[in-house]
Amino acid sequence: MTSPTQVPQAVTPGRSGRAPSPASPAALPSLTGLRFYAATAVFLYHVTSPQLSPFSGRTAQHAARLFGVAGGLGVSFFFILSGFILTWSARPTDTPGRFMRRRLAKLYPNHLVTFAVSLLVFAGAATTAWQRWLPNLLLVQTWSWDPAVSFSVNTPSWSLGCELLFYLCFPLLHRAVKAISPGLLWTVTVAFMAAVAAVPAFAYAVLPGGTHIPGWQASEIQNWFVYQLPPVRMLEFVLGMLLARIVLTDRWVGVRLWQAVPLCFVAYGVALDVPYLYALSAVWAAPLGLLIAAAAVADVRGQRSPFRGPVTKWLGEVSFAFYLLQATVLVGGGTYLAGHRPHGSAGALGLCLLAWVVTTVLAHLLYTLVERPATKHLGRARRTDAGSRPLGRTDGVR
């Protein structure tokens, strides 16, 4: 997941009308709204997975087939969005210390609460072994290719381990991306899209196949390398950074939001028919990158967008909490309420809707009682940070 998709200053488009001027960052409410759609995609993947699905028979098979690629879509969106927003909202006088303080204030309080809740829900299960819960607590679990470790305790929190590495590397990455000539930005961006697409090919060709876990259609190490290894997922994070620079430097190619959305639907159809590892990230890099940048440009220009309404914006604000709570709600509800029994289509749909509502309500409470106060109070920079070395100027970001 990523940080709030807005910065304090409201601005106007650049004189060209194509994108913000290099001196003008802007609030991006459409990206806030899009976050909840991505979190819901991950929810649909989890709720229709063979381990958790309340559906039965052929309906369960069709649901797992239809939404089996939705998790990859959601995670790729968040990694690209994270790089885009951090670059977009970077502060020229910021320091690595202040930056990490804000990021940890955003990341850790929600993680600690959902970690504790997950331990309670899974009390007595194998996840209580310290070899599994300690890496999860420290957000280093994703460096292990053993799924019992990397997906331990609160399953979705593995992605926070990737985000943690992104945050640690951001000051250096930021300098490198800023050093790229604006005229070369698209060339480098296309190269990163190609690199993301090449990762599954490398995994299939070089990494051992081994035993497949049901539903994965790839070995543990292949799945881990493509889906969970932080340096590999950093390709998408840097892609988001490059796209932010493209927009900030007025180099956007003119793809509109109404064009980017259908591209994502086309990509979804492609993901249903490509080899498994390609559906985890390779299919999504280009269409999601274009969608994120197009939504940002639409907000800056004041163009119409279906993603910035008040309800959508509120759902986007609670999306980080929703993302972290969903697996615990689904597993806990399946164990204590539904007993993991298959149901008819109507009953299964009702249970899915109930799980979505419960997760959203709990996400609102977590956002209101934990995330927002922690971001406000713990994320404040200390005066002792004032003498630290700044991250450096960002085009158009104050």
Side-chain angles (χ1 to χ4, degrees), residues 265-285:
F265 280 100
V266 171
Y268 199 97
V270 171
L272 291 173
D273 289 314
V274 297
Y276 170 76
L277 291 179
Y278 286 91
L280 297 179
S281 58
V283 170
W284 310 115

Side-chain angles (χ1 to χ4, degrees), residues 304-366:
R304 295 178 64 181
S305 168
F307 306 116
R308 71 166 77 104
V311 174
T312 306
K313 185 172 180 291
W314 170 75
L315 289 172
E317 288 172 346
V318 304
S319 63
F320 179 38
F322 181 96
Y323 176 82
L324 288 178
L325 284 164
Q326 57 180 290
T328 303
V329 171
L330 291 173
V331 175
T335 301
Y336 301 114
L337 178 62
H340 286 304
R341 298 186 305 272
H343 298 265
S345 297
L349 283 172
L351 286 173
C352 292
L353 179 60
L354 176 63
W356 186 89
V357 171
V358 170
T359 307
T360 303
V361 171
L362 293 177
H364 172 67
L365 293 175
L366 183 61

Side-chain angles (χ1 to χ4, degrees), residues 110 317 364 366-377:
N110 274 9
E317 288 172 346
H364 172 67
L366 183 61
Y367 172 76
T368 303
L369 300 178
V370 177
E371 181 180 338
R372 190 165 59 182
T375 303
K376 179 179 179 181
H377 298 293

